[in-house]
Amino acid sequence: ASAGLDDLWLARHDAAGNLLWLVQLGTAAQDIALAAAGDDAGGVYVAGETRGALAGANAGESDAFVARFDGAGGLVWMRQLGTSARDSALALAARAGGGLFVGGTSAGSLGATSAGNSDAWLARLDGNGNQLWLRQFGTPADDGLHALAADRRGGAYAGGDTFGVLATGEVRPDADAWLASHDGSGNRSWLVQLGTMVWGLSSVEAAAPDGAGGVFAAGLTDGQLSLESPSAGGRDAWLARYEVCTAASVTTRNAGANPASLGTSTLPLLGATFTADVDL
């Protein structure tokens, strides 16, 4: 029976598509499951948002929730977290060796002081649902995390959208897509942001490891993200693959005119002054 308004539901099917079981649960308020990922023990993690007291008192507006079900559909544990503003869990990824990563958006101060409007957040939980850490990051504009994928090193790739510049906190009139890597302790290894020159939205909506240390990312854009792929008009889908450099080196030398390699020095080039900034 419906608990009221929207309930969350979870089902398991066999390889032939036959329904093995279906569970439905919720509160008198709105409850929505937005992400699911199988664990390494035959069960499944589920995340979403609730406007009720699904696994504890509601902090205000909507709270994020994370749950684990066993292979038979039995609820093993559920955690609810939030602020007085709107909070949601939009993506999760099971971590090799146990536990999971979960992330989403928060309009409050969920893991750090809010940068303004909505921020992205990323957390790691162990297999029993205990929070090991939570990172909140953003700009004074709207920022969100929509995609997660575990990497081979115990960390996670995360992606989403931002109406600012995540590296500087600058606010922009349109939204860019972003993709980042965090290690198992929550430290960010790198972040790339990509967008178009036209007003509109670009976002990462899904991510998956490529099996070779890199990552696939996919999403949507209202413009043209690649010179090789013109926009078909309106909103397009896009798919990209990123390779991850594990080591890099640079040589800087003052070789006079026409230097063979350039660093951040100001060197003469063909009788003029040439300044090169090398960003690895």
Side-chain angles (χ1 to χ4, degrees):
S2 173
L5 292 184
D6 294 328
D7 289 351
L8 67 95
W9 63 269
L10 173 70
R12 181 181 176 192
H13 297 257
D14 65 18
N18 300 305
L19 179 64
L20 301 179
W21 49 257
L22 187 148
V23 295
Q24 178 176 338
L25 68 156
T27 68
Q30 186 181 57
D31 312 287
I32 309 174
L34 296 169
D39 63 18
D40 56 2
V44 60
Y45 297 113
V46 179
E49 69 175 52
T50 176
R51 291 183 176 270
L54 192 62
N58 185 280
E61 277 199 60
S62 66
D63 289 352
F65 77 84
V66 189
R68 179 174 178 253
F69 292 81
D70 61 27
L75 179 63
V76 180
W77 52 257
M78 180 178 287
R79 304 288 184 263
Q80 182 170 336
L81 64 157
T83 68
S84 58
R86 182 176 181 180
D87 310 287
S88 182
L90 302 175
L92 59 77
R95 183 177 182 270
L100 71 152
F101 297 100
V102 61
T105 62
S106 174
S109 297
L110 190 65
T113 301
S114 174
N117 285 359
S118 64
D119 289 348
W121 63 271
L122 172 66
R124 179 184 164 193
L125 280 64
D126 65 20
N128 295 316
N130 301 307
Q131 181 179 299
L132 302 178
W133 49 259
L134 190 150
R135 305 286 185 264
Q136 180 172 341
F137 50 95
T139 70
D142 283 324
D143 314 285
L145 185 153
H146 303 286
L148 276 174
D151 64 23
R152 300 189 303 174
R153 298 173 295 276
Y157 299 111
D161 60 11
T162 175
F163 278 85
V165 180
L166 284 174
T168 64
E170 176 187 353
V171 175
R172 302 189 61 223
D174 56 357
D176 284 354
W178 62 268
L179 181 69
S181 174
H182 291 77
D183 64 21
S185 299
N187 303 305
R188 184 188 296 166
S189 305
W190 51 261
L191 182 144
V192 294
Q193 185 168 331
L194 63 154
T196 69
M197 297 299 293
V198 299
W199 185 92
L201 173 67
S202 299
S203 177
V204 173
E205 298 293 331
D210 66 359
V215 59
F216 292 105
L220 56 89
T221 181
D222 292 334
Q224 181 176 337
L225 287 176
S226 169
L227 293 176
E228 294 79 18
S229 302
S231 172
R235 179 162 291 176
D236 289 354
W238 62 268
L239 172 68
R241 179 184 174 214
Y242 286 84
E243 293 183 335
V244 179
C245 299
T246 57
S249 62
V250 63
T251 301
T252 303
R253 60 182 179 180
N254 292 294
N258 301 315
S261 61
L262 295 173
T264 55
S265 305
T266 300
L267 305 173
L269 182 66
L270 299 178
T273 299
F274 184 86
T275 302
D277 292 323
V278 179
D279 183 2
L280 294 180

